[in-house]
Amino acid sequence: AQSVAQPEDQVNVAEGNPLTVKCTYSVSGNPYLFWYVQYPNRGLQFLLKYITGDNLVKGSYGFEAEFNKSQTSFHLKKPSALVSDSALYFCAGSGGYQKVTFGTGTKLQVIP
Amino acid sequence: GAGVSQSPRYKVAKRGQDVALRCDPISGHVSLFWYQQALGQGPEFLTYFQNEAQLDKSGLPSDRFFAERPEGSVSTLKIQRTQQEDSAVYLCASSPKREGPYNEQFFGPGTRLTVL
């Protein structure tokens, strides 16, 4: 069975500092990986995805994610955090033509 | 344009009642998904439609859960004889492409179901 793990329930970072939100996956076949963000009282919003190609994927709002096949990781990164980035972030993945599995989410708190 | 809409936004049901949750996907979107999100958890897959065909219903937790999308647009998730463990936020998502699991999904705001 496929799985997605987000080892940190919460990540705190100072405004202006780089941020990383961790994600590891276990899928059979080629992985299809996603990051979504959930703001309070709003639906999940797509940030970026990895299908094939470059290991560094760029997405919305200045976010990027690094795909590492050997470590089965897909960490979300941003060079300089904004207070407005504070939200709940979900990693998701699928292997082949299978349902998408979501992680449990990481709350990002950017401190002014 | 309009995004994915869900109704009602909030539903309170007494244990044993039947409920119906509606999803209006983005117009023209081929793929439609239903998820269940418990408090503090990530969305859990329930079922997947490609147009009117239900291609995967492996995530439905019991035969009390039933979903349909008869004309390939609006979808309804029905829960019969609701139980307290059914309390959760039910999310609907749509995708413009056939290969739904490969592509980004557009999520609705969810319906929060509380079963008393």
Side-chain angles (χ1 to χ4, degrees):
Chain A
Q2 64 187 28
S3 64
V4 173
Q6 293 181 246
E8 303 156 317
D9 289 338
Q10 181 160 333
V11 170
N12 297 321
V13 63
E15 186 178 22
N17 281 3
L19 69 87
T20 299
V21 182
K22 296 180 181 178
C23 172
T24 59
Y25 66 90
S26 174
V27 302
S28 57
N30 294 323
Y32 298 81
L33 302 167
F34 308 84
W35 276 100
Y36 287 86
V37 59
Q38 188 173 37
Y39 296 101
N41 299 316
R42 295 176 63 179
L44 278 82
Q45 297 177 32
F46 170 81
L47 278 180
L48 52 79
K49 68 179 178 184
Y50 171 84
I51 305 296
T52 60
D54 289 341
N55 290 342
L56 187 64
V57 179
K58 295 190 181 296
S60 306
Y61 312 119
F63 284 93
E64 56 190 26
E66 186 172 10
F67 171 71
N68 187 315
K69 187 174 181 178
S70 63
Q71 297 185 3
T72 61
S73 67
F74 189 56
H75 300 333
L76 182 70
K77 302 185 179 195
K78 187 174 183 181
S80 179
L82 301 173
V83 172
S84 58
D85 293 331
S86 298
L88 188 57
Y89 290 81
F90 289 96
C91 181
S94 175
Y97 198 75
Q98 300 175 18
K99 63 185 183 184
V100 175
T101 298
F102 282 78
T104 52
T106 298
K107 182 179 180 181
L108 174 66
Q109 190 75 36
V110 181
I111 304 163
Chain B
V4 178
S5 61
Q6 294 185 245
S7 60
R9 291 293 312 278
Y10 303 91
K11 177 69 179 178
V12 178
K14 292 183 179 179
R15 188 161 53 95
Q17 281 185 331
D18 297 349
V19 298
L21 312 180
R22 177 187 169 108
C23 172
D24 285 78
I26 294 172
S27 178
H29 277 200
V30 172
S31 297
L32 185 144
F33 302 81
W34 282 99
Y35 294 89
Q36 181 189 61
Q37 187 175 20
L39 190 64
Q41 299 296 315
E44 293 275 350
F45 171 84
L46 293 177
T47 188
Y48 163 53
F49 290 86
Q50 188 181 101
N51 294 310
E52 69 279 5
Q54 190 174 20
L55 298 188
D56 188 345
K57 56 181 180 179
S58 63
L60 296 176
S62 77
D63 58 7
R64 296 186 295 104
F65 286 71
F66 172 76
E68 60 182 6
R69 193 186 186 198
E71 298 179 356
S73 55
V74 172
S75 178
T76 303
L77 176 67
K78 298 179 179 178
I79 309 173
Q80 297 177 325
R81 305 181 302 282
T82 53
Q83 304 294 315
Q84 285 188 327
E85 62 262 28
D86 299 336
S87 296
V89 175
Y90 290 85
L91 299 173
C92 176
S94 68
S95 176
K97 299 181 180 179
R98 290 185 173 275
E99 300 81 15
Y102 296 162
N103 294 288
E104 66 181 274
Q105 298 176 33
F106 296 79
F107 281 81
T111 294
R112 182 178 296 278
L113 173 65
T114 303
V115 181
L116 303 177

